[in-house]
Amino acid sequence: MHYSKLRISVDATSKLRSLRQRTGITPNLLCRMAIMTSLEEGPLGGASIPDENGSEFNAYTLTGEYGALFAALLRWVEESASPEVPLNDDELLDRLRGHIHRGVGTLSVRAKSPADILRIIPIAA
């Protein structure tokens, strides 16, 4: 999965702004948590792909040195239902945006303070 910049939805951008105010955590770190939270919920299935009218992230800012890990986890979750049909880069980027959108929505409900973020992260981490 190759990309240099990724735009997220307006809704996710708004929720990230609110989450940053409540938790003090930067949007790129919140997006990483959102991706992992959404991947835990499983594949997006037939969910519609969110718009691309919100914030824009550089690839390295979004995933850091873990870009390959995020790509592998995304591919593993999304292709597990039909491994014989691999997703192309554009489809994977759409799914990544979808997972950010879904995960940010979940975090915006669960995280009302910095302490709530600690409850979301497993103890073993």
Side-chain angles (χ1 to χ4, degrees), residues 56-92:
E56 182 176 73
F57 291 92
N58 289 323
Y60 191 80
T61 303
L62 185 62
T63 59
E65 66 262 22
Y66 305 109
L69 176 64
F70 280 101
L73 289 170
L74 178 65
R75 191 173 290 279
W76 182 70
V77 168
E78 288 297 328
E79 291 180 349
S80 62
S82 57
E84 65 280 349
V85 184
L87 298 170
N88 65 39
D89 278 356
D90 289 337
E91 292 169 324
L92 280 173

Side-chain angles (χ1 to χ4, degrees), residues 6-45:
L6 182 78
R7 281 195 165 280
I8 62 172
S9 68
V10 172
D11 186 45
T13 299
S14 174
K15 288 177 180 174
L16 281 173
R17 202 171 291 123
S18 175
L19 278 166
R20 182 182 183 148
Q21 289 174 344
R22 291 189 309 226
T23 65
I25 299 173
T26 60
N28 61 316
L29 295 178
L30 288 167
C31 280
R32 292 178 195 185
M33 287 184 248
I35 292 166
M36 296 308 294
T37 300
S38 180
L39 288 173
E40 284 180 331
E41 294 177 25
L44 292 173

Side-chain angles (χ1 to χ4, degrees), residues 1 27 33 40 45-47 49 51 53 55 57 63 67 72 94-95 105 114:
M1 180 172 71
M33 287 184 248
E40 284 180 331
I49 302 302
D51 65 75
N53 300 323
S55 294
F57 291 92
T63 59
D94 285 344
R95 303 283 174 98

